[in-house]
Amino acid sequence: MKIEIENNTFIEFDEMSRLFFYGQNQKVAQELVRSLKRFANKKALNDLEELVYGENGIEIYREKERLNEKNIDLHFLQDNASLYQEVSFDRKSLMTDFLSALTENVAITTELEEIKNHLLKIELLFNEQLRQISNNISSNLTDLSFDDLLKNHLFLSYAADNHDFPLEMMDANEFVDEYLTLLGKKLEHQPKETWIILINPASFLMTEKIQNLLEGLSVLTEKTGLIHTFVISQQALELAYSPNDVPSTIVLAEDVYQMPDFDTFRKSIENHYPISLKMSDEALCQNFYEIVSSIGGKAKIAGKSYQNMILLKVINEILGLESASFSINFDELSELERTYLSS
């Protein structure tokens, strides 16, 4: 996949159902988010935007096929408000899609017709009373349509701790389950390729909720085949990673580096490691995500285990990146490891 971030400048990677974009290069991360948001706008570029992206607009390719923004829905979760808006009765929200689809619900339609009949009876009663004061004045009650019902008579609340609260009073962490359910309902009603863009989710969601959200999105991906998840974060999230996540990880450093499949990843590290690599696959995977955000970084590295500092330097060397200086105060280091980190 190729996504244009400036005119004829692309970020390129192998597409997978879930991708992690981690690293120090926030310029590229911001340009990626900017392009995705403008692509989601689904409107022609103005003159100033053409200076950034060119006359052809934002180009995104899958293989060699250029993607049409009208064929893809993009949802951005980047703060409390963005998650709240999706579960509130807001313009173009998932909740609005869900409630609007109820216009086809037979039970609701039947009850709405009953209300209309009652309104006609009330209108007749009004007119009977009005005839006591005038033979020329009459009343007309407007029909209550489904849209009127939603727009003027609907108020959503959230039940918690035996109290009902307005939705806007709730924290985003409370809405993760509802968000996943609403997304699933929309895909049932309107099957369409959907991209979920998570931007620095640790800034507004607890780790447990981020894990729940990603697991729920994975379930929907397997069920529908329609969802692609992009996680864009300067710092790696504290998740339960598996070796299968490694090739889904793209490091944003001086350049953009997508990690290979785990077997290739491990073999490459073993070939460059200063001593025999004793870590299990699970430990190597976990240690990788503990240092992934520091790959290619310039700041002095401190506070990490000696194994992680060695792993960081090895990966930097494999990618052709310079390593920052390390603080080395660990008795556990062998002379060879100490010499390697100091080199």
Side-chain angles (χ1 to χ4, degrees), residues 107-169:
I108 292 177
T109 301
T110 300
E111 292 298 325
L112 193 57
E113 286 300 319
E114 288 293 321
I115 292 174
K116 291 179 180 179
N117 291 333
H118 282 295
L119 286 174
L120 286 174
K121 292 179 181 179
I122 293 172
E123 183 179 293
L124 290 173
L125 292 173
F126 266 116
N127 287 330
E128 285 179 6
Q129 298 300 314
L130 285 170
R131 278 196 292 271
Q132 297 180 22
I133 60 171
S134 173
N135 292 323
N136 301 312
I137 298 174
S138 62
S139 67
N140 294 280
L141 295 181
T142 58
D143 285 339
L144 179 64
S145 67
F146 185 82
D147 287 342
D148 291 332
L149 191 65
L150 293 186
K151 183 178 180 180
N152 300 316
H153 302 279
L154 179 71
F155 176 78
L156 297 177
S157 60
Y158 193 95
D161 300 325
N162 298 319
H163 292 283
D164 286 341
F165 298 94
L167 286 188
E168 59 267 25
M169 292 180 64

Side-chain angles (χ1 to χ4, degrees), residues 1 12-19 247-248 250 258-259:
M1 175 172 277
E12 189 169 355
F13 48 88
D14 292 333
E15 184 180 16
M16 298 183 183
S17 60
R18 181 171 69 190
L19 290 164
S248 299
I250 296 162
Q258 184 165 12
M259 297 297 101

Side-chain angles (χ1 to χ4, degrees), residues 131-250:
R131 278 196 292 271
Q132 297 180 22
I133 60 171
S134 173
N135 292 323
N136 301 312
I137 298 174
S138 62
S139 67
N140 294 280
L141 295 181
T142 58
D143 285 339
L144 179 64
S145 67
F146 185 82
D147 287 342
D148 291 332
L149 191 65
L150 293 186
K151 183 178 180 180
N152 300 316
H153 302 279
L154 179 71
F155 176 78
L156 297 177
S157 60
Y158 193 95
D161 300 325
N162 298 319
H163 292 283
D164 286 341
F165 298 94
L167 286 188
E168 59 267 25
M169 292 180 64
M170 305 307 297
D171 182 77
N173 288 280
E174 304 292 339
F175 295 133
V176 169
D177 291 341
E178 287 82 359
Y179 176 82
L180 290 168
T181 302
L182 287 169
L183 181 60
K185 293 291 185 182
K186 179 177 182 180
L187 293 175
E188 287 178 12
H189 188 69
Q190 303 173 21
K192 188 176 183 181
E193 181 173 348
T194 301
W195 294 5
I196 308 298
I197 320 297
L198 291 173
I199 305 169
N200 294 318
S203 66
F204 63 98
L205 289 175
M206 297 183 299
T207 297
E208 177 186 357
K209 292 298 185 179
I210 297 173
Q211 187 79 52
N212 293 345
L213 176 59
L214 291 175
E215 289 174 357
L217 290 173
S218 293
V219 170
L220 287 175
T221 300
E222 292 178 7
K223 182 179 178 180
T224 67
L226 295 171
I227 294 180
H228 297 264
T229 303
F230 296 72
V231 180
I232 305 172
S233 177
Q234 182 174 6
Q235 297 297 322
L237 304 177
E238 296 179 1
L239 303 174
Y241 297 100
S242 74
N244 291 332
D245 290 317
V246 171
S248 299
T249 301
I250 296 162

Side-chain angles (χ1 to χ4, degrees), residues 18 21 26 43 71 82 90 95 112 159 183 221 235 246 268 292 300 304 308 317 320:
R18 181 171 69 190
F21 295 83
Q26 285 304 287
K43 295 180 181 179
N71 298 330
S82 59
D90 196 13
M95 180 64 82
L112 193 57
L183 181 60
T221 300
Q235 297 297 322
V246 171
S268 181
V292 64
K300 186 175 182 179
K304 297 186 182 297
N308 282 356
E317 287 187 348

